[in-house]
Amino acid sequence: MSLSATVRRWLADDENVIYECRHCGTTLMSTEQQCPTCGSTEIAKFDVS
Ligand SMILES: [Zn+2]
């Protein structure tokens, strides 16, 4: 899927899982537990494998 290619650069160590801020929609790195944009800790995890 095209979304996978878009976020691949963010997820160098785990290409099959996408983390996205539930509040503002920012794509996060897999190691981030808090959104750097809005500070929310509500992170959505998507398994795209
Ligand atoms: Zn956010």
Side-chain angles (χ1 to χ4, degrees):
M1 60 192 289
S2 60
L3 180 60
S4 179
T6 301
V7 301
R8 184 159 295 168
R9 62 198 176 95
W10 300 98
L11 303 171
D13 61 337
D14 191 346
E15 298 182 355
N16 293 325
V17 181
I18 296 171
Y19 296 87
E20 184 179 281
C21 176
R22 292 183 184 276
H23 184 71
C24 70
T26 297
T27 301
L28 306 179
M29 297 176 67
S30 59
T31 55
E32 292 183 304
Q33 298 299 314
Q34 184 174 19
C35 177
T37 301
C38 73
S40 175
T41 55
E42 295 185 50
I43 309 303
K45 178 180 178 181
F46 300 102
D47 187 343
V48 297
S49 60

mmCIF file of all heavy atoms in Angstrom:
data_model
loop_
_atom_site.group_PDB
_atom_site.id
_atom_site.type_symbol
_atom_site.label_atom_id
_atom_site.label_comp_id
_atom_site.label_asym_id
_atom_site.label_seq_id
_atom_site.Cartn_x
_atom_site.Cartn_y
_atom_site.Cartn_z
ATOM 1 N N MET A 1 0.826 -1.202 0.000
ATOM 2 C CA MET A 1 0.000 0.000 0.000
ATOM 3 C C MET A 1 0.861 1.254 0.000
ATOM 4 O O MET A 1 1.959 1.257 0.534
ATOM 5 C CB MET A 1 -0.957 0.001 1.192
ATOM 6 C CG MET A 1 -0.250 -0.051 2.550
ATOM 7 S SD MET A 1 -1.414 -0.392 3.888
ATOM 8 C CE MET A 1 -2.310 1.171 3.936
ATOM 9 N N SER A 2 0.385 2.308 -0.564
ATOM 10 C CA SER A 2 1.180 3.516 -0.740
ATOM 11 C C SER A 2 1.553 4.163 0.595
ATOM 12 O O SER A 2 2.603 4.760 0.709
ATOM 13 C CB SER A 2 0.421 4.520 -1.598
ATOM 14 O OG SER A 2 -0.803 4.872 -1.007
ATOM 15 N N LEU A 3 0.691 4.015 1.576
ATOM 16 C CA LEU A 3 0.968 4.620 2.876
ATOM 17 C C LEU A 3 2.249 4.058 3.469
ATOM 18 O O LEU A 3 3.015 4.762 4.092
ATOM 19 C CB LEU A 3 -0.199 4.373 3.829
ATOM 20 C CG LEU A 3 -0.056 4.954 5.244
ATOM 21 C CD1 LEU A 3 0.097 6.467 5.181
ATOM 22 C CD2 LEU A 3 -1.263 4.596 6.091
ATOM 23 N N SER A 4 2.482 2.787 3.257
ATOM 24 C CA SER A 4 3.682 2.133 3.780
ATOM 25 C C SER A 4 4.942 2.784 3.237
ATOM 26 O O SER A 4 5.892 3.043 3.957
ATOM 27 C CB SER A 4 3.673 0.656 3.431
ATOM 28 O OG SER A 4 4.826 0.017 3.910
ATOM 29 N N ALA A 5 4.955 3.080 1.956
ATOM 30 C CA ALA A 5 6.112 3.717 1.334
ATOM 31 C C ALA A 5 6.305 5.125 1.875
ATOM 32 O O ALA A 5 7.424 5.586 2.062
ATOM 33 C CB ALA A 5 5.934 3.753 -0.175
ATOM 34 N N THR A 6 5.217 5.802 2.153
ATOM 35 C CA THR A 6 5.285 7.171 2.643
ATOM 36 C C THR A 6 5.947 7.251 4.011
ATOM 37 O O THR A 6 6.733 8.144 4.268
ATOM 38 C CB THR A 6 3.862 7.766 2.748
ATOM 39 O OG1 THR A 6 3.255 7.719 1.470
ATOM 40 C CG2 THR A 6 3.903 9.203 3.236
ATOM 41 N N VAL A 7 5.655 6.325 4.853
ATOM 42 C CA VAL A 7 6.158 6.395 6.225
ATOM 43 C C VAL A 7 7.418 5.579 6.442
ATOM 44 O O VAL A 7 7.975 5.563 7.519
ATOM 45 C CB VAL A 7 5.097 5.933 7.245
ATOM 46 C CG1 VAL A 7 3.849 6.789 7.128
ATOM 47 C CG2 VAL A 7 4.779 4.472 7.076
ATOM 48 N N ARG A 8 7.878 4.884 5.401
ATOM 49 C CA ARG A 8 9.034 4.011 5.568
ATOM 50 C C ARG A 8 10.246 4.747 6.111
ATOM 51 O O ARG A 8 10.998 4.231 6.905
ATOM 52 C CB ARG A 8 9.365 3.337 4.235
ATOM 53 C CG ARG A 8 10.497 2.320 4.343
ATOM 54 C CD ARG A 8 10.438 1.356 3.192
ATOM 55 N NE ARG A 8 9.221 0.548 3.255
ATOM 56 C CZ ARG A 8 8.785 -0.224 2.271
ATOM 57 N NH1 ARG A 8 9.454 -0.296 1.149
ATOM 58 N NH2 ARG A 8 7.684 -0.919 2.391
ATOM 59 N N ARG A 9 10.416 5.971 5.690
ATOM 60 C CA ARG A 9 11.565 6.751 6.145
ATOM 61 C C ARG A 9 11.510 7.054 7.631
ATOM 62 O O ARG A 9 12.519 7.344 8.254
ATOM 63 C CB ARG A 9 11.677 8.055 5.358
ATOM 64 C CG ARG A 9 10.488 8.979 5.515
ATOM 65 C CD ARG A 9 10.475 10.020 4.383
ATOM 66 N NE ARG A 9 9.290 10.883 4.455
ATOM 67 C CZ ARG A 9 9.283 12.068 5.066
ATOM 68 N NH1 ARG A 9 10.354 12.516 5.648
ATOM 69 N NH2 ARG A 9 8.190 12.802 5.088
ATOM 70 N N TRP A 10 10.335 6.997 8.196
ATOM 71 C CA TRP A 10 10.184 7.245 9.623
ATOM 72 C C TRP A 10 10.453 5.971 10.434
ATOM 73 O O TRP A 10 10.656 6.029 11.626
ATOM 74 C CB TRP A 10 8.771 7.723 9.953
ATOM 75 C CG TRP A 10 8.379 8.993 9.276
ATOM 76 C CD1 TRP A 10 7.635 9.116 8.142
ATOM 77 C CD2 TRP A 10 8.680 10.331 9.673
ATOM 78 N NE1 TRP A 10 7.475 10.439 7.832
ATOM 79 C CE2 TRP A 10 8.093 11.197 8.749
ATOM 80 C CE3 TRP A 10 9.402 10.858 10.769
ATOM 81 C CZ2 TRP A 10 8.208 12.584 8.861
ATOM 82 C CZ3 TRP A 10 9.508 12.235 10.876
ATOM 83 C CH2 TRP A 10 8.912 13.086 9.914
ATOM 84 N N LEU A 11 10.382 4.846 9.789
ATOM 85 C CA LEU A 11 10.390 3.583 10.514
ATOM 86 C C LEU A 11 11.497 2.675 10.015
ATOM 87 O O LEU A 11 11.262 1.596 9.503
ATOM 88 C CB LEU A 11 9.034 2.885 10.351
ATOM 89 C CG LEU A 11 7.815 3.694 10.804
ATOM 90 C CD1 LEU A 11 6.539 3.003 10.389
ATOM 91 C CD2 LEU A 11 7.838 3.883 12.322
ATOM 92 N N ALA A 12 12.718 3.118 10.163
ATOM 93 C CA ALA A 12 13.845 2.386 9.619
ATOM 94 C C ALA A 12 14.008 1.005 10.252
ATOM 95 O O ALA A 12 14.498 0.086 9.622
ATOM 96 C CB ALA A 12 15.125 3.184 9.817
ATOM 97 N N ASP A 13 13.597 0.862 11.498
ATOM 98 C CA ASP A 13 13.819 -0.390 12.212
ATOM 99 C C ASP A 13 12.582 -1.292 12.239
ATOM 100 O O ASP A 13 12.659 -2.432 12.659
ATOM 101 C CB ASP A 13 14.293 -0.113 13.639
ATOM 102 C CG ASP A 13 13.277 0.672 14.437
ATOM 103 O OD1 ASP A 13 12.443 1.352 13.819
ATOM 104 O OD2 ASP A 13 13.311 0.602 15.669
ATOM 105 N N ASP A 14 11.437 -0.775 11.826
ATOM 106 C CA ASP A 14 10.231 -1.593 11.878
ATOM 107 C C ASP A 14 9.243 -1.077 10.825
ATOM 108 O O ASP A 14 8.425 -0.218 11.082
ATOM 109 C CB ASP A 14 9.604 -1.529 13.277
ATOM 110 C CG ASP A 14 8.512 -2.575 13.437
ATOM 111 O OD1 ASP A 14 8.066 -3.142 12.407
ATOM 112 O OD2 ASP A 14 8.113 -2.818 14.572
ATOM 113 N N GLU A 15 9.342 -1.605 9.636
ATOM 114 C CA GLU A 15 8.563 -1.083 8.519
ATOM 115 C C GLU A 15 7.115 -1.540 8.508
ATOM 116 O O GLU A 15 6.312 -1.057 7.723
ATOM 117 C CB GLU A 15 9.228 -1.485 7.206
ATOM 118 C CG GLU A 15 10.627 -0.896 7.058
ATOM 119 C CD GLU A 15 11.243 -1.278 5.724
ATOM 120 O OE1 GLU A 15 10.631 -2.067 4.988
ATOM 121 O OE2 GLU A 15 12.338 -0.772 5.435
ATOM 122 N N ASN A 16 6.797 -2.481 9.367
ATOM 123 C CA ASN A 16 5.453 -3.047 9.320
ATOM 124 C C ASN A 16 4.497 -2.449 10.341
ATOM 125 O O ASN A 16 3.340 -2.832 10.405
ATOM 126 C CB ASN A 16 5.513 -4.566 9.518
ATOM 127 C CG ASN A 16 6.207 -5.244 8.353
ATOM 128 O OD1 ASN A 16 6.085 -4.815 7.222
ATOM 129 N ND2 ASN A 16 6.937 -6.296 8.656
ATOM 130 N N VAL A 17 5.001 -1.534 11.148
ATOM 131 C CA VAL A 17 4.157 -0.914 12.155
ATOM 132 C C VAL A 17 4.227 0.612 12.014
ATOM 133 O O VAL A 17 5.300 1.182 11.903
ATOM 134 C CB VAL A 17 4.584 -1.316 13.581
ATOM 135 C CG1 VAL A 17 3.674 -0.669 14.617
ATOM 136 C CG2 VAL A 17 4.562 -2.835 13.723
ATOM 137 N N ILE A 18 3.060 1.240 12.006
ATOM 138 C CA ILE A 18 2.982 2.688 11.904
ATOM 139 C C ILE A 18 2.434 3.242 13.213
ATOM 140 O O ILE A 18 1.440 2.749 13.732
ATOM 141 C CB ILE A 18 2.051 3.111 10.745
ATOM 142 C CG1 ILE A 18 2.625 2.639 9.413
ATOM 143 C CG2 ILE A 18 1.844 4.621 10.727
ATOM 144 C CD1 ILE A 18 1.663 2.838 8.255
ATOM 145 N N TYR A 19 3.083 4.277 13.710
ATOM 146 C CA TYR A 19 2.600 4.966 14.901
ATOM 147 C C TYR A 19 2.139 6.360 14.489
ATOM 148 O O TYR A 19 2.851 7.074 13.815
ATOM 149 C CB TYR A 19 3.709 5.075 15.950
ATOM 150 C CG TYR A 19 4.161 3.730 16.465
ATOM 151 C CD1 TYR A 19 5.144 3.007 15.807
ATOM 152 C CD2 TYR A 19 3.593 3.194 17.616
ATOM 153 C CE1 TYR A 19 5.563 1.776 16.271
ATOM 154 C CE2 TYR A 19 3.996 1.965 18.092
ATOM 155 C CZ TYR A 19 4.984 1.255 17.419
ATOM 156 O OH TYR A 19 5.391 0.044 17.871
ATOM 157 N N GLU A 20 0.939 6.706 14.916
ATOM 158 C CA GLU A 20 0.392 7.992 14.526
ATOM 159 C C GLU A 20 -0.321 8.648 15.707
ATOM 160 O O GLU A 20 -1.046 7.981 16.444
ATOM 161 C CB GLU A 20 -0.603 7.777 13.375
ATOM 162 C CG GLU A 20 -1.170 9.072 12.819
ATOM 163 C CD GLU A 20 -2.125 8.794 11.666
ATOM 164 O OE1 GLU A 20 -1.642 8.538 10.551
ATOM 165 O OE2 GLU A 20 -3.343 8.801 11.897
ATOM 166 N N CYS A 21 -0.099 9.935 15.857
ATOM 167 C CA CYS A 21 -0.758 10.686 16.926
ATOM 168 C C CYS A 21 -2.268 10.698 16.712
ATOM 169 O O CYS A 21 -2.748 11.059 15.633
ATOM 170 C CB CYS A 21 -0.220 12.115 16.945
ATOM 171 S SG CYS A 21 -1.048 13.168 18.161
ATOM 172 N N ARG A 22 -3.007 10.308 17.741
ATOM 173 C CA ARG A 22 -4.467 10.305 17.628
ATOM 174 C C ARG A 22 -5.029 11.725 17.624
ATOM 175 O O ARG A 22 -6.153 11.960 17.195
ATOM 176 C CB ARG A 22 -5.081 9.531 18.803
ATOM 177 C CG ARG A 22 -4.798 8.042 18.778
ATOM 178 C CD ARG A 22 -5.506 7.354 19.925
ATOM 179 N NE ARG A 22 -5.206 5.938 20.005
ATOM 180 C CZ ARG A 22 -5.841 4.997 19.287
ATOM 181 N NH1 ARG A 22 -6.821 5.341 18.470
ATOM 182 N NH2 ARG A 22 -5.515 3.731 19.409
ATOM 183 N N HIS A 23 -4.238 12.667 18.121
ATOM 184 C CA HIS A 23 -4.737 14.032 18.277
ATOM 185 C C HIS A 23 -4.555 14.853 17.004
ATOM 186 O O HIS A 23 -5.480 15.492 16.530
ATOM 187 C CB HIS A 23 -4.017 14.705 19.447
ATOM 188 C CG HIS A 23 -4.524 16.086 19.741
ATOM 189 N ND1 HIS A 23 -5.764 16.321 20.293
ATOM 190 C CD2 HIS A 23 -3.954 17.298 19.536
ATOM 191 C CE1 HIS A 23 -5.929 17.637 20.424
ATOM 192 N NE2 HIS A 23 -4.852 18.251 19.974
ATOM 193 N N CYS A 24 -3.344 14.825 16.430
ATOM 194 C CA CYS A 24 -3.067 15.692 15.282
ATOM 195 C C CYS A 24 -2.702 14.919 14.014
ATOM 196 O O CYS A 24 -2.573 15.498 12.948
ATOM 197 C CB CYS A 24 -1.961 16.695 15.622
ATOM 198 S SG CYS A 24 -0.329 15.960 15.808
ATOM 199 N N GLY A 25 -2.503 13.612 14.156
ATOM 200 C CA GLY A 25 -2.254 12.796 12.971
ATOM 201 C C GLY A 25 -0.806 12.717 12.535
ATOM 202 O O GLY A 25 -0.486 12.145 11.500
ATOM 203 N N THR A 26 0.094 13.275 13.323
ATOM 204 C CA THR A 26 1.516 13.206 12.994
ATOM 205 C C THR A 26 2.016 11.767 13.054
ATOM 206 O O THR A 26 1.704 11.043 13.986
ATOM 207 C CB THR A 26 2.322 14.068 13.982
ATOM 208 O OG1 THR A 26 1.934 15.426 13.834
ATOM 209 C CG2 THR A 26 3.828 13.938 13.732
ATOM 210 N N THR A 27 2.776 11.370 12.061
ATOM 211 C CA THR A 27 3.401 10.049 12.079
ATOM 212 C C THR A 27 4.635 10.093 12.965
ATOM 213 O O THR A 27 5.502 10.945 12.802
ATOM 214 C CB THR A 27 3.792 9.617 10.655
ATOM 215 O OG1 THR A 27 2.633 9.594 9.854
ATOM 216 C CG2 THR A 27 4.423 8.232 10.674
ATOM 217 N N LEU A 28 4.693 9.161 13.912
ATOM 218 C CA LEU A 28 5.788 9.146 14.877
ATOM 219 C C LEU A 28 6.762 8.028 14.593
ATOM 220 O O LEU A 28 6.419 7.022 13.974
ATOM 221 C CB LEU A 28 5.222 8.956 16.288
ATOM 222 C CG LEU A 28 4.136 9.929 16.724
ATOM 223 C CD1 LEU A 28 3.683 9.595 18.129
ATOM 224 C CD2 LEU A 28 4.601 11.355 16.635
ATOM 225 N N MET A 29 7.992 8.201 15.083
ATOM 226 C CA MET A 29 8.956 7.112 15.034
ATOM 227 C C MET A 29 8.544 6.053 16.053
ATOM 228 O O MET A 29 7.880 6.346 17.045
ATOM 229 C CB MET A 29 10.357 7.652 15.342
ATOM 230 C CG MET A 29 10.824 8.669 14.302
ATOM 231 S SD MET A 29 12.420 9.417 14.695
ATOM 232 C CE MET A 29 13.490 8.026 14.521
ATOM 233 N N SER A 30 8.977 4.823 15.816
ATOM 234 C CA SER A 30 8.534 3.712 16.650
ATOM 235 C C SER A 30 8.986 3.848 18.100
ATOM 236 O O SER A 30 8.393 3.265 19.000
ATOM 237 C CB SER A 30 9.044 2.399 16.072
ATOM 238 O OG SER A 30 10.445 2.401 16.002
ATOM 239 N N THR A 31 10.030 4.623 18.327
ATOM 240 C CA THR A 31 10.556 4.766 19.676
ATOM 241 C C THR A 31 9.901 5.908 20.440
ATOM 242 O O THR A 31 10.104 6.048 21.638
ATOM 243 C CB THR A 31 12.075 5.022 19.635
ATOM 244 O OG1 THR A 31 12.330 6.142 18.808
ATOM 245 C CG2 THR A 31 12.814 3.810 19.099
ATOM 246 N N GLU A 32 9.121 6.719 19.741
ATOM 247 C CA GLU A 32 8.514 7.871 20.386
ATOM 248 C C GLU A 32 7.224 7.477 21.090
ATOM 249 O O GLU A 32 6.377 6.799 20.512
ATOM 250 C CB GLU A 32 8.225 8.959 19.348
ATOM 251 C CG GLU A 32 9.488 9.583 18.788
ATOM 252 C CD GLU A 32 9.178 10.708 17.805
ATOM 253 O OE1 GLU A 32 8.451 10.466 16.836
ATOM 254 O OE2 GLU A 32 9.647 11.808 18.021
ATOM 255 N N GLN A 33 7.085 7.899 22.316
ATOM 256 C CA GLN A 33 5.878 7.612 23.081
ATOM 257 C C GLN A 33 5.021 8.869 23.245
ATOM 258 O O GLN A 33 3.953 8.819 23.838
ATOM 259 C CB GLN A 33 6.242 7.069 24.465
ATOM 260 C CG GLN A 33 7.011 5.763 24.389
ATOM 261 C CD GLN A 33 6.219 4.664 23.706
ATOM 262 O OE1 GLN A 33 5.052 4.469 24.011
ATOM 263 N NE2 GLN A 33 6.835 3.951 22.781
ATOM 264 N N GLN A 34 5.518 9.987 22.715
ATOM 265 C CA GLN A 34 4.786 11.240 22.832
ATOM 266 C C GLN A 34 4.913 12.021 21.534
ATOM 267 O O GLN A 34 5.999 12.072 20.941
ATOM 268 C CB GLN A 34 5.341 12.065 24.001
ATOM 269 C CG GLN A 34 4.570 13.359 24.248
ATOM 270 C CD GLN A 34 5.062 14.076 25.499
ATOM 271 O OE1 GLN A 34 6.159 13.832 25.982
ATOM 272 N NE2 GLN A 34 4.240 14.963 26.020
ATOM 273 N N CYS A 35 3.836 12.623 21.101
ATOM 274 C CA CYS A 35 3.859 13.383 19.861
ATOM 275 C C CYS A 35 4.722 14.633 20.010
ATOM 276 O O CYS A 35 4.493 15.438 20.908
ATOM 277 C CB CYS A 35 2.430 13.772 19.484
ATOM 278 S SG CYS A 35 2.354 14.802 18.011
ATOM 279 N N PRO A 36 5.725 14.832 19.137
ATOM 280 C CA PRO A 36 6.582 16.010 19.206
ATOM 281 C C PRO A 36 5.888 17.271 18.723
ATOM 282 O O PRO A 36 6.369 18.377 18.947
ATOM 283 C CB PRO A 36 7.759 15.639 18.296
ATOM 284 C CG PRO A 36 7.163 14.714 17.295
ATOM 285 C CD PRO A 36 6.122 13.918 18.063
ATOM 286 N N THR A 37 4.769 17.099 18.034
ATOM 287 C CA THR A 37 4.056 18.246 17.484
ATOM 288 C C THR A 37 3.088 18.855 18.495
ATOM 289 O O THR A 37 3.083 20.053 18.728
ATOM 290 C CB THR A 37 3.286 17.831 16.221
ATOM 291 O OG1 THR A 37 4.209 17.331 15.268
ATOM 292 C CG2 THR A 37 2.537 19.017 15.629
ATOM 293 N N CYS A 38 2.272 18.013 19.132
ATOM 294 C CA CYS A 38 1.241 18.536 20.027
ATOM 295 C C CYS A 38 1.403 18.069 21.461
ATOM 296 O O CYS A 38 0.708 18.533 22.349
ATOM 297 C CB CYS A 38 -0.149 18.162 19.502
ATOM 298 S SG CYS A 38 -0.561 16.417 19.712
ATOM 299 N N GLY A 39 2.318 17.121 21.696
ATOM 300 C CA GLY A 39 2.581 16.679 23.058
ATOM 301 C C GLY A 39 1.654 15.591 23.557
ATOM 302 O O GLY A 39 1.760 15.163 24.699
ATOM 303 N N SER A 40 0.742 15.125 22.714
ATOM 304 C CA SER A 40 -0.188 14.080 23.127
ATOM 305 C C SER A 40 0.529 12.747 23.312
ATOM 306 O O SER A 40 1.473 12.421 22.603
ATOM 307 C CB SER A 40 -1.278 13.915 22.063
ATOM 308 O OG SER A 40 -2.118 12.823 22.394
ATOM 309 N N THR A 41 0.078 11.983 24.289
ATOM 310 C CA THR A 41 0.627 10.645 24.495
ATOM 311 C C THR A 41 -0.333 9.577 23.980
ATOM 312 O O THR A 41 -0.115 8.388 24.182
ATOM 313 C CB THR A 41 0.914 10.395 25.984
ATOM 314 O OG1 THR A 41 -0.261 10.635 26.736
ATOM 315 C CG2 THR A 41 2.029 11.311 26.475
ATOM 316 N N GLU A 42 -1.381 10.030 23.309
ATOM 317 C CA GLU A 42 -2.328 9.087 22.723
ATOM 318 C C GLU A 42 -1.846 8.709 21.326
ATOM 319 O O GLU A 42 -2.083 9.414 20.355
ATOM 320 C CB GLU A 42 -3.720 9.712 22.648
ATOM 321 C CG GLU A 42 -4.304 9.984 24.011
ATOM 322 C CD GLU A 42 -5.729 10.501 23.900
ATOM 323 O OE1 GLU A 42 -6.530 9.883 23.195
ATOM 324 O OE2 GLU A 42 -6.019 11.541 24.508
ATOM 325 N N ILE A 43 -1.110 7.607 21.262
ATOM 326 C CA ILE A 43 -0.496 7.173 20.018
ATOM 327 C C ILE A 43 -1.224 5.958 19.448
ATOM 328 O O ILE A 43 -1.405 4.956 20.146
ATOM 329 C CB ILE A 43 0.984 6.830 20.228
ATOM 330 C CG1 ILE A 43 1.721 7.963 20.935
ATOM 331 C CG2 ILE A 43 1.647 6.495 18.895
ATOM 332 C CD1 ILE A 43 1.635 9.308 20.222
ATOM 333 N N ALA A 44 -1.641 6.069 18.226
ATOM 334 C CA ALA A 44 -2.280 4.941 17.547
ATOM 335 C C ALA A 44 -1.213 4.087 16.890
ATOM 336 O O ALA A 44 -0.255 4.603 16.308
ATOM 337 C CB ALA A 44 -3.259 5.453 16.507
ATOM 338 N N LYS A 45 -1.376 2.768 16.974
ATOM 339 C CA LYS A 45 -0.413 1.850 16.363
ATOM 340 C C LYS A 45 -1.129 1.040 15.288
ATOM 341 O O LYS A 45 -2.156 0.415 15.540
ATOM 342 C CB LYS A 45 0.153 0.920 17.430
ATOM 343 C CG LYS A 45 1.129 -0.110 16.889
ATOM 344 C CD LYS A 45 1.626 -0.987 18.042
ATOM 345 C CE LYS A 45 2.577 -2.059 17.529
ATOM 346 N NZ LYS A 45 3.050 -2.931 18.622
ATOM 347 N N PHE A 46 -0.573 1.074 14.093
ATOM 348 C CA PHE A 46 -1.158 0.350 12.981
ATOM 349 C C PHE A 46 -0.181 -0.711 12.470
ATOM 350 O O PHE A 46 0.939 -0.394 12.107
ATOM 351 C CB PHE A 46 -1.496 1.302 11.826
ATOM 352 C CG PHE A 46 -2.470 2.378 12.201
ATOM 353 C CD1 PHE A 46 -2.020 3.671 12.463
ATOM 354 C CD2 PHE A 46 -3.832 2.115 12.274
ATOM 355 C CE1 PHE A 46 -2.912 4.672 12.817
ATOM 356 C CE2 PHE A 46 -4.724 3.117 12.628
ATOM 357 C CZ PHE A 46 -4.268 4.390 12.891
ATOM 358 N N ASP A 47 -0.631 -1.937 12.467
ATOM 359 C CA ASP A 47 0.179 -3.014 11.893
ATOM 360 C C ASP A 47 -0.212 -3.175 10.432
ATOM 361 O O ASP A 47 -1.336 -3.532 10.108
ATOM 362 C CB ASP A 47 -0.091 -4.302 12.664
ATOM 363 C CG ASP A 47 0.842 -5.421 12.229
ATOM 364 O OD1 ASP A 47 1.459 -5.311 11.150
ATOM 365 O OD2 ASP A 47 0.937 -6.408 12.963
ATOM 366 N N VAL A 48 0.707 -2.881 9.541
ATOM 367 C CA VAL A 48 0.415 -2.904 8.112
ATOM 368 C C VAL A 48 1.059 -4.090 7.417
ATOM 369 O O VAL A 48 1.113 -4.158 6.199
ATOM 370 C CB VAL A 48 0.874 -1.597 7.432
ATOM 371 C CG1 VAL A 48 0.100 -0.413 7.983
ATOM 372 C CG2 VAL A 48 2.371 -1.388 7.594
ATOM 373 N N SER A 49 1.552 -5.023 8.179
ATOM 374 C CA SER A 49 2.185 -6.198 7.592
ATOM 375 C C SER A 49 1.133 -7.129 6.999
ATOM 376 O O SER A 49 -0.031 -7.062 7.372
ATOM 377 C CB SER A 49 3.005 -6.942 8.624
ATOM 378 O OG SER A 49 2.186 -7.380 9.689
HETATM 379 ZN ZN ZN B 1 0.050 15.135 17.916
#
